[in-house]
Amino acid sequence: MAHPYDFDLGIIGAGAGGLTVAAGASQLGAKVLLVEKDEKLGGDCLHFGCVPSKTLIKTARVYHLMRNAERFGLPAVDLPPVDFQAVSARIRSVIDHIQHHDSEERFCGLGVRVEHGAPRFTDEHTVDLEGKTYSAKDWVIATGSSPAVPPVKGLDTVPYLTNRDIFSLDRLPASMLILGAGPIAVEMAQAFARLGTQVRVIQRGGQILSKEDKDMADAVMTALQEEGVRFHLNASVLRVETRDSHPAVVYKTPEGNEESVVGEALLVALGRSPNIEGLGLESVGVALDGKGIGVDDKLRTSQSHIYACGDVTGKFEFTHAAGYEGGIIVSNAVFHFPRKTDYAFLPWCTYTSPELASIGMNEKAAGAQGIEAQVYTEDFDGNDRNVAEGEEGGRIKLILDKSERPVGVQILGLHAGELVGEWVAALNGGVKLSTLAGAVHPYPTLAEISKRVTGNYFSRKIFSDTVKKVLGFLFHFKGRACGVAE
C-alpha cells in the first residue's frame, strides 16, 4: 500500500550531499522534493568555497610564476598591479560554468521537484515552506555550515570578511589580517600574498593546520613565510578595534605582552557552524550532539526516518565527504540496503603551494589512538620531475601500524592532491605494498614518489646484512668493488 505522504523523499539543502541524494533517489524512481533556501543550487562549495577558492589559487599561482620568470630561464617581467575586479569576474565565470551541472533545470529533468525558501518541520514528516506544507516518508537534512563567528570583543563593531564575500572584493587589499590558520586561512593567506597583499596570520595555537603532523605543517608555513606571509603563533586574541579606519587585532603573546597588528582588511577563518537554526528540529525530536546533528553510522538521526549528511553533522567538513555520505543515504533510504559509513581512508587536501594531502591517519592521529606507528619517508628532492618543475622540498610519509599494515599517507609537494589518488585506490582496495613497490610509472613523473616510499620499506628488508650474508654464502659473492670495504 502506498504511503500517505506527498513525496517519497524530502531533502533540505542543495549542496554536495543534498544534490547527490536527489539525483540518485530520483533516478531510482523515488518522488523527490529538494528544498534550497538560496536562489541557486550548489551550496557553499560552489558559490563561496571550493570552486572560487581553487580558482583564486590558480590565478595567484600564475601571477606568482610570472613574477618569478627568471627562475625558469625567462626574461624578467615587469607586471602591473592586480585588478581584483577582473579576478572576481573570472571566479564568477567558473562558478557559472559549473552551475549548469547543478542547475534547477537539470534536476527537474531528472524528475526532482525543486522549491526555494526556508523550511521548518511542523511534524516528523512535514515541513512548512513559505506557508505551504510538504510531507515526505523520509527526510534528509543537508543544510551545510556557515563561517563561525567567534566571541571576540569588538568584532561586531569592525567590518570583516569571511569566505562568503572575500571572492567578490572590489579591489585587492594592500594588507590583510587573518584570524585562524586552518586550510581556508592558509590557502587565502598565500593566494592574496602572491597577488600583492601584505598578509599576517594570527593563530591561537603553536602551529598552523593543527590537525596535521607538525613537521608537515611547519613545512607549509616555511613556504608561505618565504613568500612574505607573517605568522603570529600562540597569540590569544583579546579584542578587535578600529584604528585609522582600519581593523586592528590586539592579542597577548606567550610572554604575556599585549601587541597589535593593523590591516586594511580582516578575514575571519575560525571554523564552521552547522546550519540548523529555524529548522524546528527540537520540535520533532532530532537530537544534536554538540557539533551538529547527531547521526549513527547509517547517517540516521534520532528519528530513524530523518537522515543528515555533510557539514551539518559537524563530522567531516569536506565536499567529497558530503557526496560520499549522500551515497550512503541513497543506499539506506531508497534501496533499503543497509550500508554504514567508513571514514578510515577518507582523503583531504590543503591547496597551498606545496599542497598537503592526506589519507587515513597521520602520526598525530595514530598516536592519539595508541598505535605504534612505523614511518617511512621519501623526499621530493630526489624526484626528477619535481626538480624539472623547479619545485623545492616536499616529502611523502607512509604510516604503518605494528603489524606493518598501512594506516595512512601524507604527501607534501606539487600536485599532492592528485598524487594521493593512487593511495585512495590502493588503501580502499586493499592493494599490497609489494604491488605498489613493483608498479611501473612513466618517467619522469611525480607519481614515482609513491613507488619510492614503498620501495624504502622493502629495501630495509631486502638489502639487510642478513640477506647479504646468506647470498654471499650461497653464491660466493666477493663483496664491494668500490668504496670502503665491509
Side-chain angles (χ1 to χ4, degrees):
M1 179 180 296
H3 57 69
Y5 306 111
D6 301 325
F7 296 88
D8 297 304
L9 186 64
I11 304 165
I12 303 175
L19 293 180
T20 298
V21 178
S26 183
Q27 291 180 93
L28 289 168
K31 186 179 181 182
V32 178
L33 169 68
L34 177 62
V35 181
E36 169 56 44
K37 70 180 189 314
D38 294 327
E39 293 182 2
K40 295 182 178 180
L41 311 185
D44 207 71
C45 174
L46 174 58
H47 299 287
F48 310 109
C50 315
V51 171
S53 66
K54 289 359 167 229
T55 305
L56 176 64
I57 287 169
K58 176 63 176 182
T59 294
R61 177 171 174 78
V62 171
Y63 192 71
H64 177 72
L65 290 173
M66 293 169 67
R67 291 174 63 183
N68 290 274
E70 289 180 289
R71 284 186 54 214
F72 300 92
L74 299 172
V77 180
D78 185 16
L79 294 172
V82 170
D83 176 3
F84 203 81
Q85 289 189 10
V87 174
S88 295
R90 177 176 179 264
I91 292 173
R92 288 194 300 273
S93 71
V94 173
I95 293 172
D96 290 343
H97 179 81
I98 298 175
Q99 179 70 64
H100 292 299
H101 184 266
D102 292 347
S103 67
E104 184 173 335
E105 292 76 16
R106 175 175 176 266
F107 277 82
C108 183
L110 294 175
V112 178
R113 170 85 170 270
V114 178
E115 295 288 345
H116 295 272
R120 182 179 181 85
F121 280 98
T122 56
D123 65 43
E124 296 174 4
H125 290 276
T126 308
V127 299
D128 175 86
L129 181 65
E130 312 296 335
K132 296 182 180 179
T133 59
Y134 299 90
S135 63
K137 180 177 180 292
D138 296 305
W139 283 93
V140 178
I141 303 172
T143 48
S145 65
S146 297
V149 180
V152 175
K153 182 180 179 181
L155 187 60
D156 58 345
T157 67
V158 176
Y160 62 86
L161 303 167
T162 69
N163 69 294
R164 293 188 68 88
D165 36 37
I166 195 170
F167 304 110
S168 56
L169 297 174
D170 292 333
R171 62 185 181 84
L172 184 72
S175 57
M176 179 183 293
L177 309 178
I178 300 179
L179 292 181
I184 294 174
V186 297
E187 288 177 359
M188 292 302 95
Q190 185 176 48
F192 276 89
R194 286 181 161 187
L195 293 175
T197 300
Q198 294 181 346
V199 179
R200 291 174 179 261
V201 176
I202 299 96
Q203 164 71 340
R204 179 177 59 184
Q207 76 167 68
I208 69 171
L209 302 173
S210 58
K211 293 183 180 180
E212 306 289 352
D213 286 342
K214 191 174 187 303
D215 62 327
M216 305 295 254
D218 285 352
V220 173
M221 185 174 71
T222 298
L224 269 63
Q225 287 174 321
E226 290 174 350
E227 295 182 14
V229 179
R230 298 183 64 181
F231 292 89
H232 303 266
L233 303 181
N234 295 308
S236 300
V237 176
L238 300 175
R239 62 187 179 276
V240 176
E241 55 191 35
T242 301
R243 296 182 186 175
D244 299 325
S245 302
H246 293 324
V249 175
V250 183
Y251 63 93
K252 183 169 64 175
T253 68
E255 295 75 27
N257 301 321
E258 186 173 300
E259 297 186 4
S260 63
V261 286
V262 181
E264 184 178 312
L266 172 64
L267 171 63
V268 177
L270 289 168
R272 311 281 298 177
S273 296
N275 294 329
I276 54 178
E277 297 297 325
L279 293 174
L281 300 179
E282 64 285 347
S283 66
V284 294
V286 173
L288 307 179
D289 63 5
K291 295 182 179 180
I293 297 177
V295 293
D296 63 13
D297 54 11
K298 295 180 182 177
L299 297 174
R300 299 174 299 188
T301 69
S302 51
Q303 293 285 1
S304 60
H305 70 286
I306 301 178
Y307 298 80
C309 65
D311 285 13
V312 76
T313 68
K315 288 189 174 183
F316 297 94
E317 296 173 339
F318 305 119
T319 297
H320 51 283
Y324 163 71
E325 291 167 349
I328 297 289
I329 291 177
V330 170
S331 180
N332 291 326
V334 181
F335 277 109
H336 296 281
F337 182 81
R339 186 179 169 200
K340 298 179 180 180
T341 53
D342 182 358
Y343 302 104
F345 294 123
L346 179 73
W348 66 92
C349 184
T350 300
Y351 296 91
T352 47
S353 291
E355 293 180 356
L356 177 53
S358 300
I359 182 171
M361 287 187 283
N362 55 23
E363 286 187 83
K364 182 180 293 187
Q369 293 193 24
I371 295 175
E372 299 177 12
Q374 301 180 51
V375 182
Y376 293 84
T377 63
E378 176 70 22
D379 290 335
F380 270 80
D381 288 341
N383 180 276
D384 294 353
R385 181 60 181 272
N386 194 68
V387 176
E389 292 282 345
E391 298 295 320
E392 297 178 357
R395 72 179 67 93
I396 184 171
K397 183 190 292 187
L398 171 64
I399 312 295
L400 306 180
D401 63 15
K402 64 180 181 180
S403 299
E404 300 191 336
R405 293 174 300 188
V407 296
V409 175
Q410 287 76 56
I411 307 176
L412 174 72
L414 180 66
H415 300 316
E418 306 297 331
L419 295 176
V420 79
E422 181 172 356
W423 291 97
V424 171
L427 297 181
N428 283 284
V431 177
K432 294 181 179 179
L433 290 179
S434 58
T435 302
L436 290 171
V440 179
H441 294 80
Y443 174 87
T445 58
L446 297 168
E448 291 178 290
I449 199 77
S450 294
K451 177 184 175 68
R452 290 288 295 272
V453 75
T454 52
N456 288 346
Y457 164 72
F458 287 105
S459 291
R460 298 185 187 185
K461 299 176 179 295
I462 295 173
F463 302 116
S464 67
D465 289 340
T466 300
V467 171
K468 284 190 289 185
K469 289 179 181 178
V470 170
L471 291 176
F473 175 78
L474 293 175
F475 304 110
H476 307 291
F477 291 152
K478 297 180 179 180
R480 300 171 65 93
C482 185
V484 180
E486 295 184 349

